[in-house]
Every structure is written in structure tokens, then in C-alpha cells.
Amino acid sequence: MTGTPSAAASVLLREFDGAWRDDTPIFGCCRKSVRTAVEHADILSIASLDPATRVRELCAAVQSQAPGHLDTHRCCAGHVADLAFDLPDLLAPVTG
């Protein structure tokens, strides 16, 4: 675990609490993948990187804990990518 500050982690995880996000269903496996990304990546450092690198870093965090999961769960891969793309905007109220 990288120690993402709890306030930041709470904001990020809350985005995936509902049944849907951006017209895409959120399943239990998706929530688990997002939680894994948040808990095992240096979220605050990743937020300043370009979008493609953010996606790679968050996917790598999930891959380190659940090898092959994102390859077989496109739903989870999509939500982790959404998190990566939205990360700076989601963290702005927490870190700004």
C-alpha cells in the first residue's frame, strides 16, 4: 500500500459507490479494481502525469495485486481508465 491520504482515497472511491458512472454500470469487481488502484498506486504523484501514463500506472497497480484481471474484465479496465482520466479533477478539491 502506498499510503494515499484517506481524504483523497475517500473522494476517489466515492465516485464509484453508485450503480452507474458516466452511463456505465459499476459492478463489485469494478469497485474492487478501483480500490486496488487507489490503495496500491501513488495517486498524488500520478495525478500530475499525462493521461496515458496515468492509465498505465493505475493498471500496473491493479495488475500487481490481481494479475490478468484487467485483461479478462473489460468493465474494470474501463473504470480504472476513467479514474485515470478524471484523477486531476477529482483530486483538485482535496489537494487544492
Side-chain angles (χ1 to χ4, degrees), residues 13-95:
L13 296 175
R14 198 170 27 245
E15 281 290 311
F16 297 89
D17 276 348
W20 295 83
R21 185 173 192 271
D22 296 336
D23 297 324
T24 305
I26 302 172
F27 304 109
C29 58
C30 303
R31 282 186 197 88
K32 184 176 180 181
S33 293
V34 167
R35 178 174 296 283
T36 299
V38 169
E39 290 178 350
H40 295 279
D42 187 349
I43 294 294
L44 299 180
S45 294
I46 290 171
S48 65
L49 303 173
D50 66 274
T53 304
R54 290 194 306 260
V55 171
R56 282 192 301 273
E57 291 292 322
L58 292 181
C59 286
V62 175
Q63 179 71 7
S64 74
Q65 300 301 306
H69 180 79
L70 297 179
D71 294 333
T72 58
H73 286 246
R74 288 178 38 204
C75 54
C76 297
H79 285 298
V80 171
D82 286 344
L83 174 63
F85 279 98
D86 296 343
L87 193 57
D89 292 334
L90 293 173
L91 288 177
V94 179
T95 59

